[in-house]
Amino acid sequence: RGEDKVEEEPAEPVDPEVARAEKIEKFKMKGNKAFASGNFEDAIDYFTTAIELDKSNHVLYSNRSGAFSSVNQFQSALNDAQKCVNLAPTWPKGYGRKAAALVGLNKRAQAVDSYAQGLKIEPENALLLKGLAEISPSHPLLKAGGHVADAAEPGGDAEMGDGEKKEE
């Protein structure tokens, strides 16, 4: 007997860019979850997969930098932090990632410079202020109360919150 093939109409066509963005977000979220659970090697793997899909996403490099720092792979952390800063030079968190990696590499003077660069962008950034105070408590950018001296500009977009531990 003859078989009748019933062709199903596909649901709405999937935009390849939307599908790609969804994959990137899925791997980013899995990386964030692994990071929050202390599974830093898994986080590195997830962020690496996401980066392979989007080499221009500064947040992915930032997150992977944090994961590398958490497993004492400071040169890899620095490489990713520098890539993050190159991609998003006005995003202060990248400078914090870079400074943290430099501290891990015992390059404190360069770390101080990186914190200072980030604070030029966002003078009231709590994490940058805290990091700078930890390695250079008498730095001229710090004044009593942990605020930046001579802050010419308001904080701007607060992409890094007080005491933020979660990845982007």
Side-chain angles (χ1 to χ4, degrees):
R1 81 183 210 215
E3 293 189 26
D4 292 324
K5 288 193 175 182
V6 177
E7 289 190 35
E8 293 181 27
E9 280 191 43
E12 293 187 36
V14 177
D15 181 339
E17 277 306 304
V18 170
R20 182 175 158 271
E22 287 173 355
K23 277 185 185 178
I24 293 164
E25 186 62 23
K26 178 181 87 170
F27 286 113
K28 178 181 156 192
M29 297 308 291
K30 284 183 174 189
N32 290 346
K33 185 175 180 181
F35 187 98
S37 301
N39 299 322
F40 304 116
E41 296 290 346
D42 287 346
I44 290 166
D45 290 343
Y46 287 126
F47 294 135
T48 298
T49 300
I51 288 167
E52 288 168 359
L53 294 168
D54 184 0
K55 292 178 177 22
S56 66
N57 186 324
H58 66 282
V59 173
L60 298 174
Y61 287 99
S62 172
N63 290 1
R64 190 171 70 175
S65 175
F68 276 132
S69 285
S70 296
V71 293
N72 300 322
Q73 292 182 28
F74 298 113
Q75 187 59 56
S76 293
L78 178 59
N79 294 344
D80 276 359
Q82 187 59 59
K83 182 73 172 174
C84 174
V85 167
N86 291 347
L87 289 168
T90 60
W91 193 55
K93 189 170 185 174
Y95 295 95
R97 293 290 195 201
K98 182 177 177 181
L102 288 164
V103 168
L105 292 168
N106 293 314
K107 296 181 177 183
R108 290 187 183 272
Q110 291 176 27
V112 168
D113 290 344
S114 187
Y115 281 126
Q117 284 181 287
L119 287 166
K120 285 178 188 170
I121 297 163
E122 190 177 312
E124 300 295 324
N125 186 291
L127 291 178
L128 295 176
L129 289 167
K130 181 179 179 220
L132 181 59
E134 286 174 1
I135 62 170
S136 184
S138 61
H139 193 280
L141 284 176
L142 300 172
K143 65 180 180 185
H147 297 291
V148 177
D150 302 317
E153 303 173 24
D157 288 343
E159 295 205 35
M160 282 175 44
D162 284 347
E164 177 185 24
K165 292 184 180 178
K166 184 182 126 187
E167 294 303 282
E168 290 295 317

